Amino acid sequence: MENCLFCKIARHEIPSTIVYEDEDIIAFNDINPVAPIHILIIPKKHMVSTNDITPDDVDLIGRMFTVIKTLAAEKGISETGYRVITNCGPDSGQEVAHLHFHLIGGRTLGRLVSSQP
Ligand code: 5GP
Ligand code: ZN
């Protein structure tokens, strides 16, 4: 998509620190990391969020998680642990309207969901 920030990163029109790339997937360091390891894994094709995933994307999404697992191992956080997050829509605070998974680790992370509703 012409004016999408992450499509531009995928096309290498905007610089980023790329840590993985293949024909369909690219992963790069988040510009504003919340932990020592904070990588964004995105499909190169434009999809807004998980709402856009169809059965045709099963292989792509599965491969994205294989990339996440491999990056976690490369960064040395497989055993210490990490979190994978995707935001979808306004209530989640999604800022960039192109599907992405955050891979976050390298420090102890706070509880994501409290016991309070
Ligand atoms: P969201 O809130 O949409 O789930 O996450 C968007 C993420 O993209 C944020 O963590 C933000 O720091 C990151 N981000 C925004 N603009 C850029 C950019 O130009 N380059 C990189 N590498 N990350 C970005
Ligand atoms: Zn896009």
Side-chain angles (χ1 to χ4, degrees):
M1 191 182 251
E2 192 61 33
N3 275 323
C4 169
L5 174 65
F6 284 179
C7 282
K8 287 181 179 174
I9 287 178
R11 292 195 298 263
H12 298 181
E13 292 171 11
I14 291 178
S16 67
T17 304
I18 296 167
V19 293
Y20 175 85
E21 180 167 16
D22 66 28
E23 203 180 328
D24 303 309
I25 298 165
I26 189 164
F28 49 93
N29 287 337
D30 196 293
I31 203 168
N32 187 21
V34 299
I37 309 296
H38 188 166
I39 297 170
L40 302 173
I41 299 90
I42 72 168
K44 286 189 173 177
K45 74 166 180 173
H46 184 79
M47 308 167 72
V48 171
S49 69
T50 46
N51 282 343
D52 281 353
I53 296 173
T54 73
D56 285 344
D57 300 313
V58 166
D59 182 65
L60 172 66
I61 301 300
R63 282 167 45 221
M64 289 176 74
F65 274 88
T66 305
V67 169
I68 288 168
K69 183 198 89 165
T70 302
L71 285 170
E74 284 177 11
K75 299 295 178 184
I77 57 172
S78 295
E79 302 307 322
T80 50
Y82 54 90
R83 185 172 287 157
V84 179
I85 298 174
T86 188
N87 290 315
C88 174
D91 279 356
S92 74
Q94 182 180 6
E95 285 177 2
V96 179
H98 182 125
L99 178 67
H100 52 282
F101 296 118
H102 298 252
L103 167 61
I104 298 168
R107 67 167 172 82
T108 303
L109 302 167
R111 284 180 63 83
L112 183 60
V113 179
S114 81
S115 53
Q116 300 298 316

